[in-house]
Amino acid sequence: MRLLLIVFILIVSCKNLNKEPTYDFETHFEKSKGLETATYNQTIEFYSHLANAYSEISIQAIGETDSGEPLHLVTLNKNTVFDFSEIRKNNKRILLINNGIHPGESDGIDATMMLFRDIVQGKIEVPNNTVLVTIPIYNVGGSLNRNSTTRTNQNGPKEYGFRGNARNYDLNRDFIKCDTKNARTFAKIFHEIKPDIFIDNHVSNGADYQYTLTHLFTQHNKLGGDLGHYIHTEMMPKLEDKLTQKKWDVTPYVNVFNSVPEKGFFQFMDYPRYSTGYTTLFNCLGMMVETHMLKPYKQRVEGTYELMKSMIEITEEDGKTISGIRRQALNDLYSNKTYTLNWEIDTTKFTTLNFKGFEADKMKSEITGLERLKYDTTKPFIKTVKYQNYFKPSLHIEIPTAYIIPKGWHNIIDLLKLNQVEMTTLKKDTIITVERYKIQSFETRKSAYEGHYPHYNTILKTDVLDIAFNKGDLLIYTKQNAIRYLLETLEPHAPDSFFNWNFLDSILQQKEGFSPYVWEDKALELLNNNPKLKEEFEYRKKDLTEFNNNWYLQLDWLHKQSKYYEQAHLQYPIYRIK
């Protein structure tokens, strides 16, 4: 009998040893009483256990990052379907939440962990028609590079990640140029899931005021049409109302630096280099959450949680409307003759905010002896503030029927393929009538910016002619899902074009020149045989002192008017079919 008892105890003990320990799903943030944020490993471990415990959750590693660690994708679907093509067939809306693009701004990392947990545990109603997807930490390398000092202005958490990624890139400037593996993997994820709504969680860095929460929706005039109208007049007011009912004040992102908000401020323009600017290129409704840096960390995380919860409610309520206007937006682009590439503030329109701020004074700095700004948080106020959130076109183009890209420009072609641009190759050598650009002038930043010296103020000259293209060159029709992406990257004077991001700088350098002692004789012959050219040459010598006093400038100008000047110099190598 005693032997049987010993055997029984041993069997039970072995079973207990093999039994996986229970995971309590309390986040590191909660365990620290709201003072700390989860590490990268803690975050991935949390979601992995959540997926093991609840069939509504899936976690998968997708693609690479510059850190060598993968990006992870966590999906929450009530129907336990995680194939996104099947999800779209089931008429579900997809909401993508991006966290940790700047890992020091970690509020969304902790808030999203609690949000997913509370939904599957029944503390929040599981959305019926919305699938939630999150990238738990996008900037993995920055998250692994933890410190407690680089967020100079920020009130917690105790430790956090660094803004730059493993190669010191700011990932929220990389969505067009895709210098990082992170950005390339994001594009892969984005086109796999095709979200309807996108949220990017951040922490602000600017003025002081009473709000914990600010929102930064993609600029509504830029988004355009019914999508722009919806995000401006329906989605944004609904979000503000829902948060107000939950006792969370919210205001538009306060876009000022070393100034006071009551003087007025304007909406941040999210160009395609930024996350919401990129997602807009595919008619996705985008917004950034910007919590206020000086508010306690616990308060900021809780506010982010409530904001995301409210956006889920809006997605559930307006799902059919959102799907309909997204489809219509693409049809509208197809029928439009022109497209706006750049914008400026419309000073004739604005929104009046009842802004909750703090009084501030200018006083003498004890460090510099000059004037400094200081807020007094014991003196709150509510004042009417002019918020300039209307923009008007400053640059537009006629939308071409198609583009042609010679096959040698593989650096650009690779990015087009990454963004699922539809293209066909010419089956044989072909002469085609095209519109082409010549780069007339441009300016270049004098200091490095995210691994580049970008161009701006690009001015073009246009002509139409027949050009011989080769078999294998790429023909890309604009009437496709990627129409906005094509126009914003392939038009060289667009702010975030591939040209302005230095992808075509090889055309800016002249490859062939002349020896002055040889060209002198040929140039004289050129002038003697071209009276109009000679007249213009003499006029330039008379009118332009620098030209008249510089023999090389004179010879170089003549060379550029001759048949000997190379055609490739400053010739934009991507062509338009009107």
Side-chain angles (χ1 to χ4, degrees):
M1 184 69 181
R2 184 173 180 178
L3 181 59
L4 289 174
L5 181 61
I6 292 172
V7 171
F8 174 76
I9 291 171
L10 286 172
I11 291 171
V12 170
S13 299
C14 289
K15 284 185 177 181
N16 287 335
L17 286 172
N18 292 330
K19 186 177 179 180
E20 188 173 331
T22 303
Y23 198 83
D24 64 8
F25 296 112
E26 185 180 22
T27 67
H28 183 76
F29 165 81
E30 292 165 310
K31 291 175 182 177
S32 70
K33 307 302 181 186
L35 298 176
E36 299 179 14
T37 184
T39 66
Y40 170 75
N41 289 328
Q42 287 169 337
T43 302
I44 301 307
E45 179 187 41
F46 176 89
Y47 282 113
S48 297
H49 283 289
L50 202 63
N52 286 334
Y54 297 95
S55 60
E56 300 94 333
I57 296 278
S58 166
I59 181 170
Q60 54 182 319
I62 297 182
E64 297 179 293
T65 69
D66 285 353
S67 70
E69 301 292 337
L71 272 189
H72 284 84
L73 198 66
V74 180
T75 307
L76 193 164
N77 186 2
K78 180 178 181 178
N79 298 344
T80 68
V81 175
F82 303 109
D83 182 320
F84 288 98
S85 60
E86 290 298 319
I87 289 171
R88 287 188 291 274
K89 289 177 186 176
N90 293 332
N91 194 29
K92 299 261 191 176
R93 259 59 60 190
I94 300 172
L95 193 161
L96 173 61
I97 301 165
N98 190 45
N99 290 316
I101 193 169
H102 299 146
E105 305 170 24
S106 55
D107 306 17
I109 295 171
D110 296 306
T112 307
M113 292 165 71
M114 295 188 297
L115 181 71
F116 274 49
R117 176 202 63 198
D118 289 352
I119 290 174
V120 294
Q121 290 187 345
K123 297 175 185 176
I124 302 174
E125 185 176 353
V126 182
N128 288 314
N129 299 304
T130 304
V131 174
L132 303 180
V133 187
T134 186
I135 298 173
I137 298 177
Y138 177 45
N139 183 352
V140 179
S143 179
L144 294 171
N145 184 13
R146 286 171 75 91
N147 72 95
S148 59
T149 57
T150 52
R151 296 289 294 178
T152 306
N153 305 314
Q154 192 166 289
N155 182 11
K158 288 183 177 180
E159 287 188 348
Y160 39 75
F162 181 61
R163 187 181 185 92
N165 87 329
R167 294 169 57 215
N168 208 32
Y169 279 95
D170 185 335
L171 296 180
N172 204 26
R173 311 291 187 272
D174 197 38
F175 286 93
I176 289 298
K177 57 191 179 70
C178 280
D179 288 334
T180 63
K181 291 182 178 180
N182 302 63
R184 290 175 179 267
T185 300
F186 183 94
K188 177 182 176 182
I189 289 171
F190 182 82
H191 293 294
E192 170 69 20
I193 69 177
K194 295 180 171 57
D196 299 277
I197 299 170
F198 174 74
I199 297 175
D200 201 1
N201 285 313
H202 289 253
V203 180
S204 71
N205 188 8
D208 201 359
Y209 41 81
Q210 297 177 45
Y211 303 93
T212 297
L213 291 173
T214 74
H215 60 66
L216 177 54
F217 284 89
T218 195
Q219 208 287 317
H220 61 96
N221 300 111
K222 175 171 71 76
L223 186 55
D226 290 341
L227 273 176
H229 180 78
Y230 171 77
I231 204 170
H232 182 59
T233 65
E234 295 188 50
M235 178 178 273
M236 183 175 66
K238 284 182 179 180
L239 177 67
E240 291 173 342
D241 289 345
K242 285 179 179 292
L243 287 169
T244 299
Q245 291 170 21
K246 297 171 183 176
K247 309 300 182 185
W248 283 96
D249 285 337
V250 63
T251 195
Y253 173 66
V254 184
N255 190 22
V256 300
F257 177 75
N258 205 37
S259 182
V260 289
E262 57 263 38
K263 289 184 177 180
F265 56 96
F266 58 88
Q267 185 176 10
F268 181 84
M269 174 56 78
D270 53 336
Y271 286 109
R273 71 188 65 175
Y274 303 108
S275 62
T276 58
Y278 171 80
T279 58
T280 295
L281 299 182
F282 301 93
N283 297 317
C284 176
L285 294 160
M287 72 162 296
M288 290 186 189
V289 181
E290 292 276 1
T291 59
H292 188 239
M293 59 190 179
L294 294 177
K295 301 300 183 288
Y297 186 59
K298 185 174 186 293
Q299 189 173 319
R300 301 197 323 255
V301 172
E302 290 170 349
T304 303
Y305 176 99
E306 290 298 337
L307 189 149
M308 292 191 293
K309 182 179 169 184
S310 297
M311 281 297 292
I312 295 169
E313 294 168 6
I314 294 170
T315 308
E316 285 286 279
E317 295 162 3
D318 293 0
K320 290 183 179 179
T321 298
I322 291 169
S323 294
I325 59 176
R326 289 193 71 222
R327 286 192 297 269
Q328 186 58 43
L330 197 57
N331 292 329
D332 290 344
L333 281 167
Y334 291 166
S335 61
N336 288 347
K337 301 298 183 184
T338 62
Y339 181 82
T340 300
L341 291 175
N342 208 353
W343 302 82
E344 62 186 9
I345 295 170
D346 185 345
T347 56
T348 67
K349 299 178 182 179
F350 58 89
T351 298
T352 300
L353 304 175
N354 291 317
F355 188 81
K356 297 181 178 182
F358 295 119
E359 297 290 352
D361 291 313
K362 292 289 182 72
M363 58 186 64
K364 184 177 179 180
S365 167
E366 295 181 26
I367 299 173
T368 66
L370 302 174
E371 192 177 71
R372 60 153 294 186
L373 177 67
K374 186 175 179 63
Y375 287 91
D376 188 344
T377 57
T378 67
K379 296 179 180 179
F381 67 71
I382 300 177
K383 295 181 181 180
T384 57
V385 171
K386 182 188 288 188
Y387 175 49
Q388 295 185 296
N389 57 335
Y390 291 86
F391 284 69
K392 61 184 180 181
S394 62
L395 174 66
H396 67 270
I397 55 158
E398 289 186 26
I399 300 174
T401 300
Y403 291 99
I404 296 182
I405 304 180
K407 58 190 173 184
W409 291 97
H410 54 82
N411 57 336
I412 290 172
I413 293 167
D414 287 347
L415 288 180
L416 299 182
K417 289 179 178 178
L418 178 67
N419 284 278
Q420 296 192 354
V421 171
E422 299 169 10
M423 56 188 84
T424 57
T425 55
L426 298 180
K427 304 303 180 188
K428 59 181 180 180
D429 296 351
T430 311
I431 296 175
I432 303 174
T433 302
V434 296
E435 186 178 44
R436 71 175 181 179
Y437 291 132
K438 189 86 169 181
I439 307 298
Q440 289 289 94
S441 64
F442 60 93
E443 296 180 69
T444 303
R445 286 180 65 119
K446 297 297 187 289
S447 56
Y449 179 74
E450 296 306 321
H452 292 250
Y453 289 83
H455 307 309
Y456 61 99
N457 288 344
T458 301
I459 298 175
L460 310 169
K461 180 182 177 181
T462 306
D463 63 358
V464 177
L465 72 167
D466 294 337
I467 291 184
F469 292 95
N470 298 320
K471 176 182 177 181
D473 289 344
L474 291 159
L475 176 64
I476 303 172
Y477 288 99
T478 54
K479 192 171 284 189
Q480 57 170 291
N481 187 58
I483 179 172
R484 282 182 187 253
Y485 179 84
L486 288 168
L487 297 171
E488 297 272 8
T489 59
L490 299 186
E491 292 293 329
H493 44 339
D496 277 334
S497 68
F498 290 138
F499 173 80
N500 280 337
W501 276 115
N502 310 119
F503 280 68
L504 299 108
D505 277 7
S506 58
I507 69 169
L508 304 180
Q509 180 187 8
Q510 192 172 338
K511 301 300 187 292
E512 301 280 10
F514 59 85
S515 294
Y517 76 92
V518 176
W519 177 239
E520 280 272 1
D521 297 328
K522 290 186 176 182
L524 181 61
E525 183 180 346
L526 177 70
L527 285 171
N528 290 335
N529 292 333
N530 294 273
K532 287 186 178 180
L533 180 64
K534 186 172 184 178
E535 182 181 346
E536 184 179 356
F537 178 68
E538 294 299 331
Y539 177 80
R540 290 177 66 86
K541 287 172 66 178
K542 180 180 179 181
D543 196 54
L544 301 173
T545 302
E546 183 182 0
F547 186 79
N548 187 50
N549 294 333
N550 191 316
W551 63 267
Y552 185 83
L553 280 181
Q554 295 177 37
L555 292 179
D556 184 61
W557 183 84
L558 288 171
H559 188 258
K560 284 183 167 63
Q561 315 312 310
S562 75
K563 65 182 180 181
Y564 301 103
Y565 174 53
E566 64 196 67
Q567 293 299 308
H569 185 219
L570 299 175
Q571 183 64 60
Y572 187 66
I574 299 172
Y575 304 88
R576 293 162 43 102
I577 298 177
K578 296 187 70 175

PDB file of all heavy atoms in Angstrom, residues 60-64 70-73 185 188-189 192:
ATOM      1  N   GLN A  60       2.658  36.931 -34.967  1.00  0.00           N
ATOM      2  CA  GLN A  60       3.595  36.357 -35.934  1.00  0.00           C
ATOM      3  C   GLN A  60       4.749  37.322 -36.169  1.00  0.00           C
ATOM      4  O   GLN A  60       4.589  38.545 -36.074  1.00  0.00           O
ATOM      5  CB  GLN A  60       2.887  36.042 -37.262  1.00  0.00           C
ATOM      6  CG  GLN A  60       2.143  37.210 -37.877  1.00  0.00           C
ATOM      7  CD  GLN A  60       1.432  36.838 -39.154  1.00  0.00           C
ATOM      8  OE1 GLN A  60       1.966  36.102 -39.998  1.00  0.00           O
ATOM      9  NE2 GLN A  60       0.220  37.326 -39.324  1.00  0.00           N
ATOM     10  N   ALA A  61       5.909  36.763 -36.424  1.00  0.00           N
ATOM     11  CA  ALA A  61       7.082  37.556 -36.777  1.00  0.00           C
ATOM     12  C   ALA A  61       7.088  37.738 -38.285  1.00  0.00           C
ATOM     13  O   ALA A  61       6.955  36.778 -39.038  1.00  0.00           O
ATOM     14  CB  ALA A  61       8.353  36.849 -36.318  1.00  0.00           C
ATOM     15  N   ILE A  62       7.225  38.989 -38.723  1.00  0.00           N
ATOM     16  CA  ILE A  62       7.183  39.284 -40.158  1.00  0.00           C
ATOM     17  C   ILE A  62       8.353  40.195 -40.507  1.00  0.00           C
ATOM     18  O   ILE A  62       8.453  41.314 -40.004  1.00  0.00           O
ATOM     19  CB  ILE A  62       5.869  39.980 -40.554  1.00  0.00           C
ATOM     20  CG1 ILE A  62       4.671  39.064 -40.292  1.00  0.00           C
ATOM     21  CG2 ILE A  62       5.885  40.377 -42.028  1.00  0.00           C
ATOM     22  CD1 ILE A  62       3.345  39.666 -40.710  1.00  0.00           C
ATOM     23  N   GLY A  63       9.224  39.737 -41.369  1.00  0.00           N
ATOM     24  CA  GLY A  63      10.265  40.592 -41.915  1.00  0.00           C
ATOM     25  C   GLY A  63      11.355  40.961 -40.928  1.00  0.00           C
ATOM     26  O   GLY A  63      11.342  40.569 -39.767  1.00  0.00           O
ATOM     27  N   GLU A  64      12.306  41.755 -41.425  1.00  0.00           N
ATOM     28  CA  GLU A  64      13.491  42.118 -40.667  1.00  0.00           C
ATOM     29  C   GLU A  64      13.437  43.572 -40.225  1.00  0.00           C
ATOM     30  O   GLU A  64      12.690  44.388 -40.779  1.00  0.00           O
ATOM     31  CB  GLU A  64      14.744  41.917 -41.525  1.00  0.00           C
ATOM     32  CG  GLU A  64      15.020  40.501 -41.973  1.00  0.00           C
ATOM     33  CD  GLU A  64      16.268  40.425 -42.824  1.00  0.00           C
ATOM     34  OE1 GLU A  64      16.256  40.965 -43.950  1.00  0.00           O
ATOM     35  OE2 GLU A  64      17.276  39.859 -42.359  1.00  0.00           O
ATOM     36  N   PRO A  70      13.124  40.589 -35.613  1.00  0.00           N
ATOM     37  CA  PRO A  70      12.001  40.750 -36.547  1.00  0.00           C
ATOM     38  C   PRO A  70      10.982  41.759 -36.042  1.00  0.00           C
ATOM     39  O   PRO A  70      10.959  42.110 -34.865  1.00  0.00           O
ATOM     40  CB  PRO A  70      11.388  39.345 -36.571  1.00  0.00           C
ATOM     41  CG  PRO A  70      11.655  38.800 -35.197  1.00  0.00           C
ATOM     42  CD  PRO A  70      13.011  39.340 -34.817  1.00  0.00           C
ATOM     43  N   LEU A  71      10.139  42.235 -36.970  1.00  0.00           N
ATOM     44  CA  LEU A  71       8.932  42.940 -36.557  1.00  0.00           C
ATOM     45  C   LEU A  71       7.864  41.894 -36.241  1.00  0.00           C
ATOM     46  O   LEU A  71       7.816  40.837 -36.872  1.00  0.00           O
ATOM     47  CB  LEU A  71       8.415  43.852 -37.663  1.00  0.00           C
ATOM     48  CG  LEU A  71       8.967  45.269 -37.734  1.00  0.00           C
ATOM     49  CD1 LEU A  71       8.175  46.087 -38.744  1.00  0.00           C
ATOM     50  CD2 LEU A  71       8.962  45.950 -36.384  1.00  0.00           C
ATOM     51  N   HIS A  72       7.021  42.202 -35.271  1.00  0.00           N
ATOM     52  CA  HIS A  72       5.919  41.311 -34.928  1.00  0.00           C
ATOM     53  C   HIS A  72       4.596  41.982 -35.264  1.00  0.00           C
ATOM     54  O   HIS A  72       4.467  43.203 -35.200  1.00  0.00           O
ATOM     55  CB  HIS A  72       5.951  40.949 -33.440  1.00  0.00           C
ATOM     56  CG  HIS A  72       7.005  39.941 -33.096  1.00  0.00           C
ATOM     57  ND1 HIS A  72       8.319  40.311 -32.862  1.00  0.00           N
ATOM     58  CD2 HIS A  72       6.943  38.596 -32.954  1.00  0.00           C
ATOM     59  CE1 HIS A  72       9.026  39.214 -32.587  1.00  0.00           C
ATOM     60  NE2 HIS A  72       8.222  38.166 -32.633  1.00  0.00           N
ATOM     61  N   LEU A  73       3.647  41.156 -35.603  1.00  0.00           N
ATOM     62  CA  LEU A  73       2.292  41.593 -35.907  1.00  0.00           C
ATOM     63  C   LEU A  73       1.345  40.820 -35.006  1.00  0.00           C
ATOM     64  O   LEU A  73       1.371  39.584 -34.983  1.00  0.00           O
ATOM     65  CB  LEU A  73       1.977  41.319 -37.377  1.00  0.00           C
ATOM     66  CG  LEU A  73       0.798  42.069 -37.991  1.00  0.00           C
ATOM     67  CD1 LEU A  73       1.089  43.558 -38.039  1.00  0.00           C
ATOM     68  CD2 LEU A  73       0.523  41.550 -39.398  1.00  0.00           C
ATOM     69  N   THR A 185       9.833  46.482 -44.199  1.00  0.00           N
ATOM     70  CA  THR A 185       8.943  45.498 -43.597  1.00  0.00           C
ATOM     71  C   THR A 185       7.583  46.113 -43.308  1.00  0.00           C
ATOM     72  O   THR A 185       6.549  45.460 -43.479  1.00  0.00           O
ATOM     73  CB  THR A 185       9.561  44.927 -42.317  1.00  0.00           C
ATOM     74  OG1 THR A 185      10.804  44.290 -42.646  1.00  0.00           O
ATOM     75  CG2 THR A 185       8.650  43.905 -41.664  1.00  0.00           C
ATOM     76  N   LYS A 188       5.570  46.029 -46.413  1.00  0.00           N
ATOM     77  CA  LYS A 188       5.089  44.668 -46.642  1.00  0.00           C
ATOM     78  C   LYS A 188       3.856  44.381 -45.784  1.00  0.00           C
ATOM     79  O   LYS A 188       2.851  43.835 -46.264  1.00  0.00           O
ATOM     80  CB  LYS A 188       6.204  43.666 -46.318  1.00  0.00           C
ATOM     81  CG  LYS A 188       5.804  42.202 -46.448  1.00  0.00           C
ATOM     82  CD  LYS A 188       6.974  41.293 -46.055  1.00  0.00           C
ATOM     83  CE  LYS A 188       6.558  39.828 -46.088  1.00  0.00           C
ATOM     84  NZ  LYS A 188       7.672  38.941 -45.660  1.00  0.00           N
ATOM     85  N   ILE A 189       3.928  44.749 -44.507  1.00  0.00           N
ATOM     86  CA  ILE A 189       2.807  44.541 -43.584  1.00  0.00           C
ATOM     87  C   ILE A 189       1.600  45.361 -44.017  1.00  0.00           C
ATOM     88  O   ILE A 189       0.464  44.857 -44.078  1.00  0.00           O
ATOM     89  CB  ILE A 189       3.220  44.911 -42.147  1.00  0.00           C
ATOM     90  CG1 ILE A 189       4.210  43.876 -41.601  1.00  0.00           C
ATOM     91  CG2 ILE A 189       2.011  45.026 -41.228  1.00  0.00           C
ATOM     92  CD1 ILE A 189       4.837  44.274 -40.279  1.00  0.00           C
ATOM     93  N   GLU A 192      -0.117  43.961 -46.948  1.00  0.00           N
ATOM     94  CA  GLU A 192      -0.708  42.659 -46.632  1.00  0.00           C
ATOM     95  C   GLU A 192      -2.053  42.840 -45.948  1.00  0.00           C
ATOM     96  O   GLU A 192      -3.033  42.183 -46.298  1.00  0.00           O
ATOM     97  CB  GLU A 192       0.240  41.866 -45.732  1.00  0.00           C
ATOM     98  CG  GLU A 192      -0.346  40.585 -45.139  1.00  0.00           C
ATOM     99  CD  GLU A 192      -0.593  39.495 -46.173  1.00  0.00           C
ATOM    100  OE1 GLU A 192       0.024  39.559 -47.259  1.00  0.00           O
ATOM    101  OE2 GLU A 192      -1.395  38.585 -45.895  1.00  0.00           O
TER     102      GLU A 192
END
